[in-house]
Amino acid sequence: MDGVIALYKERGMTSHDCISRLRKILHTKKIGHTGTLDPNVDGVLPICIGQATKISELLMGSGKVYRGSITLGMAYDTEDLDGHLIATKAIERPLSSEQIDGLLQKLTGHIMQVPPMYSAVKINGHKLYEYARRGEVIHREPRPIFIQSFKQTKVSSFDEKKQTQTIFFEVACSKGTYVRTLAVDFGKLINTPSVMSSLTRIKSGGFDISQCVTLEQVDKAAGSDTLSDIIEPLSTALSDYPAYQLDDSRWKIISNGGFLDQSILPDREPIVRLVYQGETKALYQFDEPKKVYRPFKMFLKNN
């Protein structure tokens, strides 16, 4: 049982909750997720099983896409609605769509971001949220992130009674991006308190939300012996890497962890996926000084 399940994580659950449930359903401990989702965020959570746990950091490092909303006129200490209200400001004149587009554009490309206090980032051996729960604010150095796109998905909504404006967005971003901090940074551009009011991850690790299955569906499949229908093979999860079909002689070489000469891929791609008899057996990485491909990730049963 090796592969990846594109799990739909429901709101109200932690990523660890999902892993615990799946370990019981699948009767295996060799399982891991590819990046946590906060309890109040739903969406794509790729789950690696068996040999696929070796690629969890590769999937984790891939870009992610989210849809959500930013509400202007109020701020929370957690930067989402799970925390405590810390500031308000009446929105008397809502932003136009053109103004919103311009502000979103300012938060795209290579930018620096300060991680939020309510996060698992460690400073001096302690997670930031541990300091935050004690009421302490710790200095955090800004970190580089990349925002590929940040755009509106529909016309914003203005609540005349509450005097707030809600902006609906889609963002494609790099690993390490805190989308709730982007929501707060949006408000800072116009000196207005703001909060991430909803968030759904719609793409992660190469999987789209349309491919996802629920925990209930996994449980049902496990009980009816159709689990293979919802576990994506390594070849699918690693389809972005160029593939090389191994013959019997080269299969024997990689079975022993040997090197392959650069002739297998004249273009010298940094990483190649090695396939034998229809299955992905390894990822090999090009060693520029030695001009050979050497083991990077091995998916052999005895590894």
Side-chain angles (χ1 to χ4, degrees):
M1 188 165 54
D2 303 313
V4 181
I5 294 177
L7 184 71
Y8 171 75
K9 189 195 83 66
E10 300 175 6
R11 294 187 182 185
M13 298 186 71
T14 67
S15 300
H16 182 71
D17 291 337
C18 295
I19 294 297
S20 297
R21 284 279 303 276
L22 287 170
R23 279 178 177 153
K24 293 176 182 177
I25 293 171
L26 303 175
H27 306 292
T28 180
K29 292 183 178 180
K30 202 170 185 181
I31 185 171
H33 60 69
T34 58
T36 58
L37 281 177
D38 290 340
N40 65 347
V41 179
D42 63 341
V44 185
L45 182 65
I47 304 292
C48 296
I49 305 164
Q51 294 284 325
T53 55
K54 296 176 181 179
I55 66 167
S56 60
E57 75 273 18
L58 297 179
L59 299 185
M60 201 181 302
S62 67
K64 297 170 177 60
V65 182
Y66 297 85
R67 281 188 189 147
S69 60
I70 301 168
T71 298
L72 302 176
M74 54 186 182
Y76 284 69
D77 56 359
T78 57
E79 303 185 347
D80 58 22
L81 298 179
D82 280 355
H84 297 96
L85 185 66
I86 56 173
T88 60
K89 180 180 179 181
I91 305 298
E92 298 176 353
R93 184 179 298 177
L95 298 172
S96 67
S97 288
E98 291 76 15
Q99 288 174 314
I100 293 169
D101 288 339
L103 292 168
L104 292 175
Q105 189 60 37
K106 289 183 179 180
L107 293 171
T108 60
H110 293 279
I111 63 174
M112 301 297 288
Q113 184 182 72
V114 177
M117 280 301 304
Y118 281 90
S119 68
V121 173
K122 277 191 174 183
I123 293 182
N124 297 326
H126 296 281
K127 294 177 180 178
L128 283 174
Y129 67 74
E130 294 173 339
Y131 294 109
R133 288 170 180 172
R134 296 197 297 264
E136 300 178 42
V137 177
I138 301 298
H139 174 74
R140 292 96 70 204
E141 290 293 336
R143 300 180 172 195
I145 59 171
F146 179 66
I147 308 301
Q148 183 177 346
S149 64
F150 200 5
K151 60 187 179 182
Q152 292 187 82
T153 55
K154 60 180 179 180
V155 176
S156 66
S157 172
F158 179 59
D159 189 321
E160 292 188 39
K161 185 177 180 180
K162 295 181 179 179
Q163 289 192 298
T164 59
Q165 182 178 10
T166 299
I167 296 160
F168 305 96
F169 69 84
E170 180 177 303
V171 61
C173 55
S174 65
K175 172 188 174 183
T177 300
Y178 288 93
V179 180
R180 50 195 163 100
T181 302
L182 280 179
V184 171
D185 289 342
F186 181 95
K188 287 179 179 178
L189 292 174
I190 52 172
N191 196 30
T192 299
S194 57
V195 63
M196 185 191 76
S197 43
S198 71
L199 193 67
T200 298
R201 187 156 70 189
I202 62 171
K203 190 172 183 180
S204 178
F207 294 97
D208 186 86
I209 197 166
S210 63
Q211 299 171 269
C212 286
V213 293
T214 63
L215 283 168
E216 288 69 27
Q217 287 174 308
V218 178
D219 196 7
K220 185 177 179 180
S224 61
D225 296 324
T226 59
L227 197 57
S228 59
D229 294 338
I230 61 175
I231 297 181
E232 298 288 350
L234 282 166
S235 295
T236 300
L238 298 171
S239 60
D240 286 345
Y241 294 102
Y244 177 78
Q245 305 294 326
L246 295 166
D247 55 24
D248 291 340
S249 63
R250 284 195 168 111
W251 162 240
K252 186 175 181 180
I253 291 172
I254 78 152
S255 296
N256 295 305
F259 295 178
L260 296 178
D261 63 75
Q262 63 185 10
S263 66
I264 67 165
L265 215 64
D267 292 340
R268 298 181 185 178
E269 293 285 347
I271 297 176
V272 59
R273 178 166 55 91
L274 302 179
V275 181
Y276 182 67
Q277 294 183 349
E279 292 186 6
T280 293
K281 298 296 185 180
L283 291 177
Y284 265 43
Q285 191 169 34
F286 188 65
D287 185 326
E288 182 66 41
K290 295 184 178 180
K291 307 299 182 186
V292 295
Y293 279 94
R294 61 191 308 160
F296 176 53
K297 299 287 182 181
M298 304 295 286
F299 311 121
L300 311 182
K301 295 300 182 184
N302 60 347
N303 275 259

